[in-house]
Every structure is written in C-alpha cells, then in structure tokens.
Amino acid sequence: MPIVVQNVGRVYPTGTVAIENISLTINDGQFVSLIGPSGCGKSTLLSMMAGLDAPTSGNLAVSGRVGVVFQEPALFAWRTVRDNVSFGLQMQGVGKEERNARAEAALKMVHLSNFARSYPHELSGGMRQRTAIARALVTDPDVLLMDEPFGALDAQTRSLLQSELLRVWEQTGKTVVFVTHGLDEALTLSTRIVLMSARPGRVLADLAIDAPRPRDTQTDPSLRAAYETLRELLTKEVESVARAEHDRDWEGMSKPVATAAEQFGADI
Amino acid sequence: MIAAETSAGKRLQRNAAPVAAPSHVAGRNGLRQFALQAVFYALLFAAWWIVAERGIFPAYLLPSPKDVGEYLQTSVAEERLLPAIGTSTLRGAIGYVVALVVGTVLGLALARIRLLDDTVGGAVVGLQSLPSICWFPLALIWFGLNEKAVQFVVIMGAVFAVTLAVRSGVRNLPPLTLRAAQSLGATGINLWIHVLLPAILPAFLSGMRQGWAFAWRSLMAAELLSQSLKEGVGHLLATGRDLNDMAMVLGVIAVILFLGIAVDRIVFAPLEKIVASRWGVEGA
C-alpha cells in the first residue's frame, strides 16, 4: 500500500487548522481524486504526501518514489525541455547519456519529442504542463501527485491532457493522487473520489468509481448518480463556507450564494 | 542615463517585451530610433559649432569642437590621455569586482537568512541612498590619501546596488520553482548551483550593470578629490579646471561619458540580451 494517512492533522503557525484528523489508505495503481471547496486543505494534504510539508499530528507514510506536478508547470527557464525533464535524474547522479535517453523516452510519452531542444518560453501552456508531467515521470516514481495540474489551462487543452494522462496511467500503472475542484474532471479520470469538507479539512465522502472507459459523465448512469451525490454534499459545504464568510448578512445573500454554490457543484 | 533605470523598471521592460512580435517590427523601430538619435546629435553638434564659431561666448567659456578635438589629439600624442584611461579603468575594475563579490554574497545571505535581513537588510537599503563620495572623508582618515581610500569609495558606491539586486532576485523567485526543484530531489548545494543561482541570473545581471554605473561615477568623484594619486581621467578633469582649460574639461567629460557608456554597451547589454532571450519573458 503506497500511501497510508493516519489521523493526520495540520495546524499552521498562525493557528489556522488546515486539516483535521484525516485517515486514508491509497492502494497501488489507484487513481484517486481529492476534491473539495477551495481552502479545504487538499493541496496541503498533497504537499505532505510529497514530503514538502509535514503533518503536525498523526502519521503519513508514502512508500516508493514520488513525482509531483503542480498547478503551474514551474519549469526551469534556463534549461531546454530535455534538460528540464532530466533534472530529477541529474539530482540522482545519473550519467549524462542515460539521463538524456530517459528524458527523451519520457518526452515521447507526452508527445513532445520534437521540442526537446526548445526552451520553456517557446512552448504553449499545455506543452509546458506536459513537460512538467514528463519531468515528474522521468525518475519512474511509484506515485504521481498532481495538484490541480490542468486548472490553468483552457477547456480543450485540458481535456486533451486528461486523456493523455489516462493513457500514461494505463500504460504505467502508477498510483495517482489528483487534486481538483472539477467534479467532472474527477469523474472522468478517477477510480476513487475523496470529497473533503471545508476547513478544517476532513473526509466527507469516499466513493469508488468503476464506470467503464472511455467515460461520458453526461450519459453513464453510475457516473450521473455519483455526480448527484457529490454535488449535493459539495453544495452544502460551499454554502456553509459562504454562510460563515457572510455572517449575519447570510439571509439576504442566501439566494445568489446558493446559485453560485450550485454552479460550483456543477463543475468549473 | 544608465543608472537611472531601476532594476524593477528593467524587469518590467523584459516582461513587456513581446516575444511574439515579428522581428522585422523590432528592427524597424531600432532603425528609426537610431536615425532619430543620429539626427539629434548631429544638430546638437552643429549648434555648438556655430555658437562657438560666432564667438557669442568667450572661448574660455565655450571652446569650439575643434579646440576640444585638438586637446584630445595632443593629449593622446603626449601619452597622457590613454595611460589615464588605463589607470581609471583598472581602478574601477578592481573596486567593481570586489563590490560584485561582496554584494553577491551579502545579497544571497540577506535573501536566505531572515534575521540578517531584518537587521542588516534595513541598513543596506538606507546606505544605498547615501552618495558614496560621502565616504571619502572617512576613507581619508582611515587609509590616508592613497589607492585604498579611492577603492573604498568605489566599493561602497557599487556594493549595495549589487546586494539589493541579488536579494530581490532571490526574493522574487516563484516559490513553486523551489518546491518543484525540491520535489525532484534538489537540496543543499545542488539547489544553489542548479536552481537558485541560474534562476536569479537576469536580476543579477541588471544588478551588475547598475553596480558598474555606480562604481564608475564614484570613482570619478573620488579622483576629482585626490589629485596626488597616479593620474586617472578624473584627475585630468580636475587639472583642466585648475588650468582654466575649458577645451580640456569638455574633452575629458566626453571621454568619461564614453567610457561609462562603452562598458555598459559592450559588456552588459549583450550579456543581458543573451540571458533575456534564453530565460524567456517571464521565466516560466
């Protein structure tokens, strides 16, 4: 079992409780989406899995190597695409020839072979994010952690990258943890969806999604059902956040906010 | 003016530079600018010549371009101007290199060590606003009227510009770049060599450029006030004043201006261009 999260909590130095008592076991080869209202601590949880942040209580264990893809590509502007991809190997002390060969193989996987010698600023947003995915894959990690990786892309590019990611996942059988706030995206990709509550983040729902692929979230009845369940829970959470934020004005606000919450649930 | 461009201004410029703009547009604009400047300077020069030739002002106040040219010619022939240029350039270079090393180390330390930044950092920002020639009296008392005193002024002039550029370079790094590097296993010295230092190179270069501008003007101020040292171009300028030789004064001013700009254009501008084109517009 590559990822075991036991009663994990995270309190920031400011006293804000980002995450409270989360327990979660993620199995080999699962594609798990973490979903929840913004600020619910899903990115924090992912950072902790990546080892970039530590829990203040509980235990968190990830076995095997980890690759991380962030919301933005965060490429190294002074390195070519290939040298960006091979960075992780270089840090491991892999020799130049092997490094380049493996980087090129990873680039092939995301269909960027022709751009190996380009610099990041010469690429489009989608190509940069694919480079970032190749960079995370090149060290052959057991777990791929992705923090809203397609959130900053336009709808078409996003759906293209989603299918590319699915293909890579099917080819390699890696465990993927995928943070998103798009319900549709989560339903299209995942074998399992974990819904987190508003801050402090707790697990509200944990659903197995085993609809056949390729999926159509509009027509598949099991996906429709999962969608309705999740949307209802999510709407409630968004409402509770809005209620807290608007305090006493809530009664007057309730209608427009409720509509906004509906829209949020209906995917962004 | 070289130093009038702040590093922030430059970064803005770089960000705004339209990568996608077809190069012939940039070329045409460059040509147009060049032509306009050439015409402007030609007119200015012609006006000077005419006013001087007409004798509107006495020659000891406004010599003609011919007098200035003659001074420069004689000065080169007497083997006085070129050695002075060499002396000043070497002086400037030595002080500049020291300032560059000290400023870089200090800037990196300020950026990475919170306590240091809260204490020394504030002082650096304050000292940056002090004209470096104000250190000269102090340097005279500490070191006496010698090369050390002049170097001290040059270093104090340049070091804080470099420090602040390096500090803001590190500070303005996108945090995600560092997190990405760390998630790929870059720690300690590897993080410095492979990520931090290359990432701040554009900011560092604009700091280098500003540092040079400050070093050069500090050196000229110090040379004007230190006549007994080995003769540099600043000393020539002071001599011109002592002799009431306006042709000499104008000639040396032209040389000083030329040297400052030449180093900026020959050394720094091409470097910045290379880095900007490779690092891209915003450093992805």
Side-chain angles (χ1 to χ4, degrees):
Chain A
M1 268 170 280
I3 304 176
V4 181
V5 179
Q6 270 178 324
N7 310 106
V8 160
R10 178 73 172 94
V11 183
Y12 289 127
T14 52
T16 311
V17 183
I19 288 179
E20 197 174 65
N21 198 21
I22 283 194
S23 294
L24 204 63
T25 302
I26 295 172
N27 294 326
D28 259 331
Q30 276 189 335
F31 194 124
V32 181
S33 284
L34 295 177
I35 190 162
S38 44
C40 74
K42 47 195 195 295
S43 292
T44 307
L45 184 59
L46 200 83
S47 288
M48 293 193 291
M49 290 176 183
L52 296 170
D53 196 356
T56 43
S57 60
N59 286 312
L60 190 147
V62 179
S63 56
R65 265 199 306 276
V66 163
V68 190
V69 179
F70 300 92
Q71 182 165 18
E72 276 158 42
L75 299 177
F76 307 125
W78 56 94
R79 289 174 158 245
T80 61
V81 166
R82 190 186 66 189
D83 290 347
N84 261 282
V85 172
S86 67
F87 183 84
L89 297 173
Q90 192 183 355
M91 292 303 108
Q92 288 175 5
V94 176
K96 194 167 180 127
E97 250 169 65
E98 189 191 338
R99 209 156 77 201
N100 287 344
R102 284 171 68 181
E104 265 152 31
L107 279 172
K108 203 170 178 183
M109 198 138 49
V110 296
H111 301 299
L112 274 179
S113 296
N114 289 337
F115 293 89
R117 276 168 187 77
S118 304
Y119 284 93
H121 69 93
E122 298 168 320
L123 306 181
S124 70
M127 288 156 88
R128 285 184 208 171
Q129 197 56 296
R130 272 147 69 197
T131 307
I133 293 172
R135 184 175 66 174
L137 285 173
V138 77
T139 52
D140 194 24
D142 306 282
V143 179
L144 193 57
L145 302 172
M146 309 183 88
D147 188 1
E148 298 189 33
F150 309 142
L153 302 174
D154 62 86
Q156 273 168 316
T157 313
R158 188 187 313 154
S159 81
L160 207 72
L161 261 70
Q162 283 171 355
S163 44
E164 219 158 83
L165 173 63
L166 273 182
R167 194 176 42 74
V168 169
W169 172 69
E170 277 160 6
Q171 273 175 16
T172 59
K174 293 188 191 309
T175 309
V176 179
V177 182
F178 190 94
V179 167
T180 177
H181 54 229
L183 208 43
D184 225 44
E185 184 169 61
L187 285 164
T188 308
L189 298 174
S190 330
T191 59
R192 179 181 172 193
I193 296 179
V194 175
L195 177 67
M196 285 172 68
S197 70
R199 188 183 288 160
R202 286 158 289 122
V203 175
L204 272 188
D206 191 341
L207 260 67
I209 309 290
D210 41 23
R213 298 174 194 272
R215 290 174 178 173
D216 186 341
T217 52
Q218 302 301 315
T219 55
D220 187 298
S222 70
L223 290 179
R224 290 301 313 169
Y227 180 89
E228 287 305 325
T229 315
L230 291 167
R231 197 198 57 159
E232 201 175 311
L233 286 166
L234 205 58
T235 309
K236 256 190 227 155
E237 278 306 300
V238 175
E239 258 183 34
S240 82
V241 173
R243 205 185 288 270
E245 280 175 1
H246 288 87
D247 201 18
R248 253 172 297 175
D249 298 337
W250 169 250
E251 289 312 321
M253 289 287 296
S254 70
K255 214 166 175 178
V257 173
T259 318
E262 288 272 314
Q263 277 167 1
F264 178 90
D267 191 21
I268 294 174
Chain B
M1 268 303 161
I2 313 149
E5 294 174 27
T6 65
S7 63
K10 249 186 225 139
R11 196 163 309 120
L12 213 66
Q13 232 178 345
R14 201 162 33 233
N15 281 343
V19 241
S23 58
H24 68 269
V25 173
R28 207 166 51 204
N29 280 341
L31 203 66
R32 188 186 121 88
Q33 203 182 8
F34 180 77
L36 281 175
Q37 281 185 355
V39 170
F40 169 72
Y41 287 116
L43 286 176
L44 199 67
F45 197 75
W48 172 22
W49 199 303
I50 291 165
V51 169
E53 287 297 314
R54 283 278 174 99
I56 296 171
F57 300 102
Y60 65 87
L61 288 186
L62 187 73
S64 81
K66 207 178 83 197
D67 300 333
V68 175
E70 270 167 14
Y71 158 73
L72 289 175
Q73 231 174 356
T74 348
S75 191
V76 171
E78 286 171 353
E79 292 187 2
R80 191 166 180 199
L81 186 58
L82 296 184
I85 289 175
T87 304
S88 287
T89 314
L90 185 65
R91 253 186 213 136
I94 293 171
Y96 175 64
V97 169
V98 174
L100 206 56
V101 172
V102 174
T104 305
V105 172
L106 187 58
L108 289 174
L110 289 182
R112 299 295 286 180
I113 304 169
R114 191 62 202 252
L115 180 67
L116 205 63
D117 196 49
D118 288 340
T119 51
V120 182
V124 169
V125 174
L127 287 175
Q128 165 69 355
S129 66
L130 181 72
S132 67
I133 196 62
C134 297
W135 293 105
F136 199 50
L138 179 146
L140 286 179
I141 296 173
W142 277 1
F143 306 113
L145 181 50
N146 54 33
E147 289 291 334
K148 273 189 209 156
V150 173
Q151 290 298 351
F152 185 75
V153 172
V154 173
I155 293 167
M156 293 309 266
V159 74
F160 301 122
V162 177
T163 305
L164 292 177
V166 169
R167 183 181 76 152
S168 79
V170 177
R171 283 265 186 87
N172 293 338
L173 282 183
L176 213 52
T177 304
L178 293 183
R179 281 165 65 85
Q182 280 162 347
S183 81
L184 291 161
T187 49
I189 190 81
N190 270 335
L191 188 66
W192 280 91
I193 293 176
H194 294 291
V195 182
L196 266 170
L197 294 179
I200 65 163
L201 197 58
F204 181 61
L205 267 180
S206 76
M208 275 176 77
R209 196 173 183 175
Q210 261 192 44
W212 167 253
F214 279 114
W216 186 241
R217 59 185 59 191
S218 304
L219 175 64
M220 288 307 111
E223 284 191 349
L224 276 174
L225 298 176
S226 61
Q227 287 220 38
S228 64
L229 293 182
K230 192 178 173 202
E231 194 170 69
V233 279
H235 300 124
L236 285 182
L237 190 55
T239 307
R241 195 211 72 93
D242 291 342
L243 300 175
N244 254 341
D245 184 347
M246 195 59 177
M248 182 171 181
V249 168
L250 285 178
V252 177
I253 286 178
V255 168
I256 293 171
L257 188 64
F258 175 78
L259 285 175
I261 293 176
V263 171
D264 187 67
R265 290 290 155 87
I266 294 168
V267 180
F268 296 114
L271 273 177
E272 256 191 5
K273 209 169 170 183
I274 293 167
V275 167
S277 77
R278 182 187 263 214
W279 264 236
V281 264
E282 48 189 13

